[in-house]
Amino acid sequence: MPFIEHVSDPDLERLALERVLPALLAHGFCSVDGLLGQPAGDAVLQRVTELHRSGALQDGRLAGSVPGVHRSRSIRGDQIAWVGGSERGCEAISFLLGRIDRLVSVCASRLGSKKIRERSKAMVACYPGNGAGYVKHVDNPNRDGRCITCIYYLNKNWSATEHGGVLRIFPEGKPYVADVKPLFDRLLFFWSDRRNPHEVLPSYATRYAVTVWYFDSEERAEAKRRFRDLTALQPGGGSR
């Protein structure tokens, strides 16, 4: 399985070229353990915990959902906040994003037609431990530009048997599933499109993660054009 363990102070370029990129191309996903190390990982965890306790996290919306329409917690049970990294007190999250940016940038130049030049803000997420999960889904089923999903986990002393919360990937065309435990200081990469349907199994302890999506700039631009065209066709959508 394409997992990398106990990377205490990684040479990010070598890690990207020798492990992450080959695993993405061969398997569609890759997990890196020990990305930041204990002190920096603890700092990210502390900030995420503070955001949670302050009430900054709100119920996550379903893709394509309409404001004002209640979502079903049986489909998606997490609470989220969007963080850019420049906010006061978010220096540790900014450091994390810089490390992920570096890994992805090294890989991006070797992905052929893919042109990855931007990413989303960080989605800080908490499953509150009440059996909440997220049913099987695809991050980018409709070519919205998302190319690579990166999830950084923050959960110490996590037992999949006791706490659940495993992310289960169903790689397209493969005879197996891949179960990824949401362990502290673990970073997971996978293709965001239909190659990697995945689900979060019910969590019975508080489960934290930080997710970012990297965009293929050409697909993203086309998705924005489609949205503008659709909006213009709606009543009150504006003139040409």
Side-chain angles (χ1 to χ4, degrees):
M1 299 293 286
F3 289 84
I4 304 163
E5 297 182 350
H6 309 303
V7 182
S8 59
D9 185 19
D11 177 329
L12 293 181
E13 183 169 349
R14 187 179 66 197
L15 177 64
L17 292 178
E18 296 181 1
R19 303 300 298 274
V20 177
L21 182 61
L24 273 175
L25 294 175
H27 303 280
F29 65 94
C30 180
S31 179
V32 175
D33 285 342
L35 177 73
L36 301 185
Q38 182 93 21
D42 281 342
V44 177
L45 175 58
Q46 178 179 343
R47 182 54 182 154
V48 168
T49 303
E50 289 169 353
L51 289 170
H52 183 206
R53 291 176 177 169
S54 72
L57 307 187
Q58 304 295 321
D59 286 349
R61 288 179 57 190
L62 301 176
S65 62
V66 178
V69 176
H70 182 68
R71 64 144 196 188
S72 171
R73 291 181 183 273
S74 65
I75 298 176
R76 177 176 184 177
D78 59 342
Q79 297 176 317
I80 68 169
W82 294 96
V83 175
S86 60
E87 299 88 346
R88 183 176 180 180
C90 289
E91 294 82 4
I93 294 177
S94 177
F95 177 72
L96 165 66
L97 297 178
R99 299 296 287 265
I100 303 174
D101 284 347
R102 179 57 183 155
L103 282 168
V104 172
S105 69
V106 172
C107 295
S109 63
R110 295 161 176 85
L111 291 177
S113 62
K114 299 292 184 184
K115 295 179 173 59
I116 300 175
R117 301 192 181 107
E118 60 178 323
R119 61 161 165 79
S120 69
K121 289 185 175 182
M123 185 185 78
V124 174
C126 170
Y127 288 86
N130 57 0
Y134 197 159
V135 300
K136 186 178 178 181
H137 65 284
V138 172
D139 284 357
N140 176 16
N142 299 312
R143 296 185 57 79
D144 65 13
R146 285 181 289 178
C147 178
I148 298 175
T149 301
C150 298
I151 309 175
Y152 179 73
Y153 293 112
L154 289 158
N155 309 292
K156 294 186 176 182
N157 304 313
W158 191 270
S159 165
T161 302
E162 180 181 355
H163 303 133
V166 165
L167 186 139
R168 176 166 290 168
I169 303 174
F170 303 82
E172 183 183 51
K174 299 292 177 28
Y176 57 82
V177 298
D179 284 351
V180 182
K181 299 174 185 177
L183 304 182
F184 177 78
D185 206 20
R186 170 174 283 178
L187 177 64
L188 173 67
F189 301 82
F190 59 88
W191 301 122
S192 305
D193 60 18
R194 293 178 183 271
R195 286 174 285 183
N196 281 310
H198 56 282
E199 64 182 338
V200 178
L201 301 184
S203 297
Y204 300 101
T206 302
R207 177 190 187 276
Y208 291 122
V210 178
T211 303
V212 289
W213 288 272
Y214 288 82
F215 298 107
D216 175 358
S217 58
E218 292 183 359
E219 184 180 305
R220 182 69 168 168
E222 178 58 31
K224 289 180 178 179
R225 284 193 292 270
R226 291 199 308 270
F227 179 78
R228 285 195 300 268
D229 292 345
L230 180 63
T231 302
L233 292 174
Q234 303 301 318
S239 59
R240 289 285 183 175

